[in-house]
Amino acid sequence: MDSWPSVAVPRLPGQGLPLRLHDTGTGTVRETAPEGGTARMYVCGITPYDATHLGHAATYLAFDLVQRQWRDAGLDVHYVQNITDVDDPLLERAAATGEDWRALAEREIQLFRDDMAALRVLPPDDYIGAVEAIPEIGAAVEALRAQGDAYAVDDDLYFPVSAAPGFGSESHYDRDTMLRLFGDRGGDPERPGKRDALDSLVWRGRRPDEPSWDSPVGPGRPGWHIECSVIALNRLGMGFDVQGGGSDLVFPHHEHSAAHAEALTGTAPFARHYVHAGMIGLDGEKMSKSRGNLVLVSKLRAAHVDPMAVRLALLDGHYRADREWTGGRLPAAEARLARWRAAVALPTAPAADEVLAEVRAALADDLDSARAIRAVDRWADAALGSSGTADSSSGGPLVRDLTDALLGVLL
Ligand code: ZN
């Protein structure tokens, strides 16, 4: 599937630091250590039935920062993202509104691309839809079945969690928590005929009123977790550097995706870091479709809000923290953006070597973007407050390059 247009990333003097990131699997902040000069990252993409809200944007911005720090550290990056362009929520929405599910998906994917491009999120190298990946997913489900790691319930196929010795090592949740989250997030713990309530669907057999595709295991469509396992595995291999997504994907999605991949290959781990972004709330509630409290990126764009201000507003907080989107955030970010732009436009301004080092250090430390922003603030305050006393150097161009390359904020 076509991704969105990329943007040039300025090269900065010197080199960035090794990136340290929080890993949900070990519960620690650890250095990422890509091998062979290329960092490999998979981030779970959207189910295209509703427009990009600020919660999505915050997640993709976090992983955009990952890619930018790796590049600054001299690494190449192989970034893969999927689109779950056939799944229950999409089909349910299309049925409710009477729209063709493909038309709905196509429209929302294009809106997402436009939102990502406006926010200057670097695109994935491989942007893969579930539908286009069905042949490879079908082959993987057949492989699971052939090795005894998939069983039938009626016309559907399930993965037994007993086949995954490492099951639970990503989320570390106890069984009661797993059962609750599985039921809340698309699982079917109550379905009769399953060997274990936590076993997950890998292939849904054909239903008369749903789209289906032929496969070695019969007609139907893939489950959600196996979709990501296979798309990642076939492009990045096992042991890739970062598996990313929002914190609502910790369980069951990432736990099951890893379990499927580990059963398919007989090796572990699926990913070396499992990295999760916090949720964005509005008026004390998590922003979500079901609550109807979404702030849409496309609506902000249509209201002529500068996407760079949206980006700055979302980065002014730690990616792992659940954060509130309050009315003051956007005006504060717009004011900051104006100050930074005024400062870099000055003919003379303080040297920027120190701010570059500070921003690199902050972002390498588990993406402390708020600390990075404070460092640029201090430089801008010094530049704007020191007319006539600024040293004769001109730090403006370097600050413009570093906010662009490291924070993705174009001044
Ligand atoms: Zn996924």
Side-chain angles (χ1 to χ4, degrees):
M1 188 167 290
D2 289 337
S3 192
W4 55 92
S6 194
V7 288
V9 178
R11 298 285 312 168
L12 300 172
Q15 193 164 314
L17 301 165
L19 174 61
R20 293 166 56 77
L21 282 177
H22 183 268
D23 167 36
T24 303
T26 57
T28 58
V29 175
R30 295 189 294 118
E31 193 171 302
T32 56
E35 289 165 357
T38 300
R40 297 172 292 159
M41 176 163 69
Y42 184 89
V43 178
C44 291
I46 58 166
T47 300
Y49 67 100
D50 223 336
T52 321
H53 61 73
L54 289 177
H56 294 129
T59 294
Y60 296 110
L61 286 180
F63 295 99
D64 190 52
L65 292 188
V66 171
Q67 168 154 210
R68 289 170 181 276
Q69 308 330 302
W70 274 337
R71 286 187 179 205
D72 185 49
L75 294 161
D76 291 326
V77 179
H78 186 177
Y79 177 22
V80 181
Q81 188 180 131
N82 70 309
I83 314 113
T84 304
D85 58 356
V86 63
D87 202 5
D88 296 348
L90 172 66
L91 299 176
E92 285 162 12
R93 174 64 61 90
T97 59
E99 186 174 17
D100 181 272
W101 64 275
R102 283 158 295 209
L104 171 61
E106 201 171 305
R107 189 180 67 242
E108 295 302 338
I109 292 167
Q110 188 54 45
L111 197 53
F112 179 72
R113 289 189 188 105
D114 293 344
D115 288 339
M116 291 296 105
L119 291 169
R120 303 184 86 249
V121 173
L122 300 174
D125 304 286
D126 299 308
Y127 193 41
I128 308 294
V131 171
E132 64 186 326
I134 281 175
E136 57 188 288
I137 302 169
V141 175
E142 169 59 11
L144 282 176
R145 187 174 69 167
Q147 69 191 43
D149 290 339
Y151 66 92
V153 178
D154 305 324
D155 290 335
D156 304 333
L157 286 172
Y158 279 82
F159 175 84
V161 291
S162 60
F167 189 77
S169 62
E170 183 259 343
S171 66
H172 300 285
Y173 292 146
D174 60 33
R175 186 171 171 86
D176 285 348
T177 305
M178 287 184 179
L179 284 167
R180 178 174 54 79
L181 293 175
F182 194 59
D184 288 349
R185 297 173 179 169
D188 52 1
E190 311 287 346
R191 181 166 182 183
K194 288 169 63 172
R195 294 178 192 166
D196 186 308
L198 290 172
D199 291 351
S200 61
L201 181 82
V202 288
W203 191 260
R204 180 173 164 90
R206 180 170 59 195
R207 305 290 197 275
D209 51 348
E210 292 182 2
S212 67
W213 291 263
D214 288 333
S215 84
V217 292
R221 59 184 170 90
W224 176 34
H225 316 309
I226 190 78
E227 169 194 336
C228 284
S229 313
V230 172
I231 291 174
L233 203 51
N234 286 348
R235 287 158 189 83
L236 299 174
M238 287 295 280
F240 59 90
D241 294 288
V242 164
Q243 154 80 312
S247 59
D248 53 350
L249 298 187
V250 171
F251 193 90
H253 185 53
H254 285 175
E255 191 80 67
H256 275 276
S257 290
H260 296 338
E262 290 170 9
L264 274 167
T265 61
T267 62
F270 181 48
R272 295 160 79 187
H273 268 75
Y274 295 93
V275 180
H276 296 104
M279 299 287 113
I280 301 294
L282 186 71
D283 304 327
E285 299 248 38
K286 173 188 154 184
M287 205 175 277
S288 72
K289 296 177 181 87
S290 53
R291 291 192 175 90
N293 62 346
L294 304 181
V295 178
L296 302 180
V297 175
S298 48
K299 287 264 170 60
L300 294 174
R301 287 198 287 120
H304 305 292
V305 173
D306 188 328
M308 293 301 93
V310 177
R311 189 166 174 124
L312 257 186
L314 288 171
L315 293 180
D316 189 13
H318 197 261
Y319 79 97
R320 276 198 283 130
D322 291 337
R323 285 165 282 155
E324 275 288 297
W325 182 262
T326 57
R329 276 188 173 265
L330 200 51
E334 286 169 330
R336 170 174 283 130
L337 191 62
R339 276 180 77 73
W340 288 11
R341 284 179 171 155
V344 298
L346 293 170
T348 60
D353 303 345
E354 198 175 316
V355 64
L356 173 58
E358 287 171 345
V359 169
R360 275 177 165 155
L363 292 170
D365 180 14
D366 198 23
L367 304 177
D368 193 345
S369 52
R371 196 170 112 211
I373 286 172
R374 299 284 106 73
V376 180
D377 278 346
R378 283 193 296 277
W379 177 87
D381 288 346
L384 292 166
S386 63
S387 54
T389 60
D391 61 42
S392 58
S393 60
S394 176
L398 179 53
V399 171
R400 186 184 276 123
D401 278 355
L402 77 89
T403 58
D404 182 357
L406 301 179
L407 291 167
V409 175
L410 187 65
L411 298 180

